[in-house]
Amino acid sequence: MTTENKSQFRPVAVPDVELNGFWGKWQDAVCDSTAAILLDRCEKAGMIQAIDVNQPSPGIVIPIDEKWTGSTQMFWDSDLGKSIETIAYSLYRKPNAELEARADAIIDMYEKLQQEDGYVNAWFQRVQPGKRWTNLRDHHELYCAGHLMEAAVAYYQATGKRKLLDIMCRYADHMITVFGHGEGQIPGYCGHQEVELALVKMARVTGEQKYLDLSKFFIDERGREPHFFTAEAIRGGRDPKDYVHKTYEYSQAHEPVREQEKVVGHAVRAMYQYSGMADIATEYHDDTLTNALETLWDDLTVKQMYVTGGIGPAAINEGFTDYYDLPNDTAYAETCASVGLVFWASRMLGRGPNRRYADVMEQALYNGALTGLALDGKTFFYDNPLESTGKHHRWVWHRCPCCPPNIARLVASVGSYMYAVADNEIAVHLYGESSVKAKLKGGNVKLTQHTDYPWNGDIRIDVDVDVDVGGTAEFGLALRIPEWAEGASLKVNGETVDLASSVIDGYARLNRAWKKGDVIALDLPLELRPQYASPKVRQDVGRVALARGPLIYCVEETDNGHDLNAFVVPQKLAGHRTKTIEGLNGAVAVELDVSREDASGWNGSLYRTRPAEQVPATVTLVPYHLWDNREPGAMLVWLQTGK
């Protein structure tokens, strides 16, 4: 368990990272298509009218669900917030006067919508104005505020404009007067966590400790007895037991956060809660939070996570069920949940580089989250099964459109997840063609990665330090060595670094005097490797998934014909080749020699006394995050395994 850990690594700001290569292409798709599409579809849904005080209120556009007394329309502020955040980062990469003007106009509307006391929420001002702060358990008020706060920070960092930041600071200042244990204050928190991590971002950009303290209050209060949600329901004349999910586990409010040991309930809420907890653990050096999070991390990654980094197998609660319950064809694995896992993993790195978190961050990013966005940036997955008969496709929009702007803002800001800085150390968590600028005690530093990762594992990092000619800057550099990278090698200026003696918690820690022109060469072998599930995962017994580097691969009908379940992968993966497939942005596909069950001799029978004969075959695998980008058809991640 962690004790007295005083490390504080914080992500670099998005504008401090420039991306090219793999992630540059994805960001271009967001800039060229997704950012504008998000606004177009928000406007079509009625979200702009909802905040425009110069237009009549749209009223209830999406009917209220009596089971939980709410409507997904209540979340519109959050959808606009995430869309503005996406736009902010897209403007930094590709200036777009028209898009910026549209975002500015929305921000102006929020300024006019904001009440004198600082409160701002389209639903509770324009649709149900008498009900604000009356049902925090169900109605997402603070959740919406959190996404607007994150948008405000992003827009300020990317454009220098602080109007939305000022609006949200006034709102946060109002919350400080509303929430607490003083007379007339509300000792509560939101049913859908989000504001906790947003307040930390606000604190970091403004330097205001009071926003950290409010975030900590929400985290500390959660799950305490007497239970706030029970008291709130009674105060509102509602039966506290009569609500849709019947258990506080759904929103991780069943017990105080430091006592929670099992990941339960709604997957996105859980990930946002743990992200906020990790931020507060970093900012307050709170080992009690870190210890709880380490227990929860193991509970999730050892017993409840798909090989893709997808989480939450069930649609009924958009979340967790039983240990080792990981169905493939009905997997929910919401895009937002994997995005949230990336958030949590990134924040677990706030107390120091550790491969156990960064490897999962990469796994969830490339496989569980990125799958939610089409290559052209125009359509989206909400749920992400690991098997399809050909009927599961990306959609244009959704009654609860949380996933499109969530994956878009993650892609647009992915540079801030690649690097983190402490007082005098830079951690490189993720690899990709990029450059980063950082201010350290030792001086200003720029690192430039040259690589075709994740298609190729050769990585060169050029070091540039802002010192006099011939001078040096002393600082530490931490480079992640993925667990899967067996045989990895590292050189500095041509001299081999002994990884056995320099690797701590999965990171090569290089502390030295660096000078301009120093070159780091890291080689991460990208071998095709099998992934076998625990025998306790009944759905994957006798099956194997295939991975190459950080990527999980799958087979699609468009490459392999029908009956994908007929392929049988040998345990020894001899005889495989790589190739590039047209239309997939230079992606590396894998051709593998396998067997195929021959069904031609069954003569119309459904059953017989001997198994199918096997014949030699070749199967083509593509990265899972790219499936359903070409002709529609079946898809399969877990293949039969043979001898």
Side-chain angles (χ1 to χ4, degrees):
M1 304 296 281
T2 303
T3 57
E4 296 302 316
N5 187 338
K6 300 301 181 184
S7 296
Q8 287 180 304
F9 278 80
R10 297 183 177 90
V12 297
V14 172
D16 291 336
V17 182
E18 182 176 329
L19 290 169
N20 295 294
F22 179 90
W23 286 111
K25 292 177 182 177
W26 280 101
Q27 287 194 335
D28 286 340
V30 171
C31 293
D32 297 340
S33 297
T34 317
I37 282 172
L38 293 175
L39 275 195
D40 291 343
R41 294 174 188 170
C42 285
E43 184 170 9
K44 185 177 180 180
M47 297 184 193
I48 308 301
Q49 181 186 351
I51 63 170
D52 187 355
V53 296
N54 294 322
Q55 296 188 59
S57 167
I60 299 175
V61 177
I62 301 175
I64 290 177
D65 183 341
E66 296 303 326
K67 291 181 179 179
W68 62 279
T69 70
S71 163
T72 56
Q73 185 180 339
M74 289 177 166
F75 317 155
W76 279 3
D77 286 326
S78 74
D79 300 321
L80 284 173
K82 286 181 285 188
S83 298
I84 291 171
E85 187 178 353
T86 301
I87 289 166
Y89 298 136
S90 75
L91 291 177
Y92 175 77
R93 183 174 179 85
K94 288 189 176 183
N96 183 322
E98 179 183 357
L99 196 58
E100 185 171 355
R102 292 179 70 185
D104 286 342
I106 292 171
I107 292 169
D108 288 342
M109 292 178 195
Y110 272 114
E111 184 180 44
K112 293 178 181 178
L113 179 66
Q114 186 168 39
Q115 295 182 188
E116 186 174 344
D117 63 3
Y119 184 88
V120 57
N121 182 291
W123 178 273
F124 290 105
Q125 288 178 253
R126 305 256 288 159
V127 181
Q128 291 186 329
K131 294 188 176 182
R132 72 177 189 176
W133 307 135
T134 59
N135 189 347
L136 294 175
R137 183 191 67 192
D138 300 324
H139 290 168
H140 292 57
E141 257 171 297
L142 290 169
Y143 167 84
C144 287
H147 281 306
L148 286 171
M149 288 177 185
E150 291 196 80
V153 171
Y155 208 70
Y156 170 66
Q157 288 182 325
T159 69
K161 299 177 181 179
R162 61 173 299 138
K163 179 180 286 188
L164 186 56
L165 182 61
D166 289 339
I167 292 169
M168 297 316 296
C169 284
R170 288 194 292 272
Y171 193 8
D173 290 343
H174 171 64
M175 290 178 192
I176 291 171
T177 69
V178 170
F179 292 95
H181 289 289
E183 185 176 353
Q185 288 186 303
I186 300 173
Y189 41 86
C190 194
H192 195 313
Q193 305 88 322
E194 215 291 324
V195 74
E196 295 85 351
L197 57 95
L199 284 164
V200 173
K201 285 188 176 182
M202 289 261 291
R204 286 173 174 171
V205 79
T206 63
E208 292 284 357
Q209 177 69 32
K210 60 185 177 181
Y211 301 142
L212 284 180
D213 292 342
L214 181 58
S215 175
K216 187 175 185 298
F217 170 82
F218 288 138
I219 288 169
D220 289 344
E221 288 302 306
R222 195 169 205 88
R224 285 184 174 175
E225 295 290 347
H227 205 286
F228 169 73
F229 288 161
T230 298
E232 179 189 58
I234 294 171
R235 187 166 56 249
R238 303 185 300 273
D239 182 348
K241 296 181 180 179
D242 184 20
Y243 71 108
V244 63
H245 287 287
K246 310 295 184 187
T247 171
Y248 294 150
E249 286 189 349
Y250 178 70
S251 54
Q252 299 78 41
H254 54 296
E255 56 189 1
V257 298
R258 290 169 179 81
E259 297 174 18
Q260 295 183 23
E261 297 182 344
K262 182 178 180 179
V263 176
V264 295
H266 187 274
V268 179
R269 298 178 197 225
M271 296 304 102
Y272 285 176
Q273 172 173 308
Y274 306 151
S275 296
M277 289 168 62
D279 271 340
I280 293 301
T282 296
E283 295 297 337
Y284 288 83
H285 304 289
D286 190 338
D287 293 323
T288 64
L289 283 174
T290 300
N291 291 342
L293 288 167
E294 288 175 345
T295 298
L296 291 163
W297 183 268
D298 288 342
D299 187 79
L300 176 70
T301 59
V302 176
K303 301 174 183 176
Q304 302 196 71
M305 186 178 74
Y306 283 99
V307 71
T308 57
I311 54 174
I316 189 170
N317 67 341
E318 295 187 308
F320 302 101
T321 54
D322 298 323
Y323 285 155
Y324 307 107
D325 180 33
L326 297 169
N328 294 307
D329 57 341
T330 61
Y332 198 67
E334 184 181 342
T335 296
C336 278
S338 287
V339 170
L341 179 53
V342 173
F343 293 166
W344 180 23
S346 172
R347 286 160 172 82
M348 291 299 286
L349 296 166
R351 310 209 73 192
N354 191 316
R355 183 171 67 191
R356 70 194 295 240
Y357 307 121
D359 278 4
V360 170
M361 176 171 70
E362 183 176 60
Q363 182 180 1
L365 174 64
Y366 277 98
N367 305 290
L370 190 56
T371 316
L373 184 65
L375 267 175
D376 61 9
K378 297 179 180 179
T379 54
F380 314 92
F381 276 144
Y382 193 109
D383 51 326
N384 295 280
L386 283 72
E387 178 179 352
S388 171
T389 59
K391 298 178 182 178
H392 186 80
H393 306 293
R394 291 178 179 83
W395 38 263
V396 171
W397 207 234
H398 197 276
R399 287 169 65 88
C400 181
C402 53
C403 294
N406 223 3
I407 182 56
R409 68 177 178 142
L410 175 59
V411 169
S413 62
V414 72
S416 67
Y417 296 86
M418 298 176 72
Y419 304 94
V421 295
D423 287 342
N424 210 36
E425 187 172 10
I426 303 176
V428 182
H429 298 313
L430 301 171
Y431 298 107
E433 183 85 10
S434 61
S435 63
V436 61
K437 297 176 181 178
K439 294 181 179 179
L440 304 176
K441 283 185 177 180
N444 295 332
V445 177
K446 180 179 180 180
L447 302 179
T448 303
Q449 286 193 54
H450 303 280
T451 179
D452 194 28
Y453 192 88
W455 312 125
N456 187 295
D458 294 330
I459 301 157
R460 168 178 159 163
I461 302 177
D462 294 337
V463 180
D464 189 3
V465 294
D466 185 13
V467 293
D468 295 335
V469 176
T472 61
E474 292 191 10
F475 62 91
L477 187 57
L479 304 171
R480 180 175 62 97
I481 310 299
E483 186 176 14
W484 49 258
E486 187 174 345
S489 63
L490 178 65
K491 294 181 179 180
V492 177
N493 297 331
E495 296 185 7
T496 298
V497 175
D498 180 16
L499 291 179
S501 61
S502 64
V503 170
I504 302 172
D505 292 332
Y507 279 70
R509 309 295 285 268
L510 308 177
N511 293 283
R512 55 179 286 162
W514 299 91
K515 65 181 185 299
K516 180 180 176 66
D518 283 342
V519 176
I520 300 164
L522 176 63
D523 178 45
L524 302 177
L526 302 185
E527 297 296 331
L528 187 68
R529 64 188 192 279
Q531 299 285 284
Y532 295 101
S534 164
K536 295 181 180 180
V537 182
R538 63 188 185 282
Q539 297 91 347
D540 298 331
V541 172
R543 298 203 166 242
V544 63
L546 296 169
R548 183 176 184 269
L551 303 178
I552 299 300
Y553 276 68
C554 69
V555 292
E556 286 194 273
E557 184 176 349
T558 185
D559 301 309
N560 302 286
H562 60 282
D563 292 341
L564 300 179
N565 275 296
F567 289 111
V568 182
V569 177
Q571 291 185 15
K572 186 176 182 181
L573 299 179
H576 67 274
R577 303 156 295 283
T578 59
K579 66 176 184 178
T580 301
I581 292 183
E582 290 292 327
L584 291 182
N585 260 0
V588 171
V590 173
E591 284 188 346
L592 180 64
D593 295 335
V594 297
S595 299
R596 186 179 185 119
E597 292 181 335
D598 183 6
S600 62
W602 287 65
N603 298 321
S605 299
L606 187 57
Y607 305 101
R608 73 180 193 188
T609 57
R610 65 184 189 280
E613 289 78 16
Q614 294 186 9
V615 297
T618 299
V619 70
T620 298
L621 300 109
V622 297
Y624 170 75
H625 74 263
L626 293 174
W627 86 276
D628 198 49
N629 272 284
R630 298 172 293 162
E631 296 82 6
M635 179 277 297
L636 188 64
V637 169
W638 288 95
L639 301 168
Q640 283 198 73
T641 184
K643 298 180 179 180

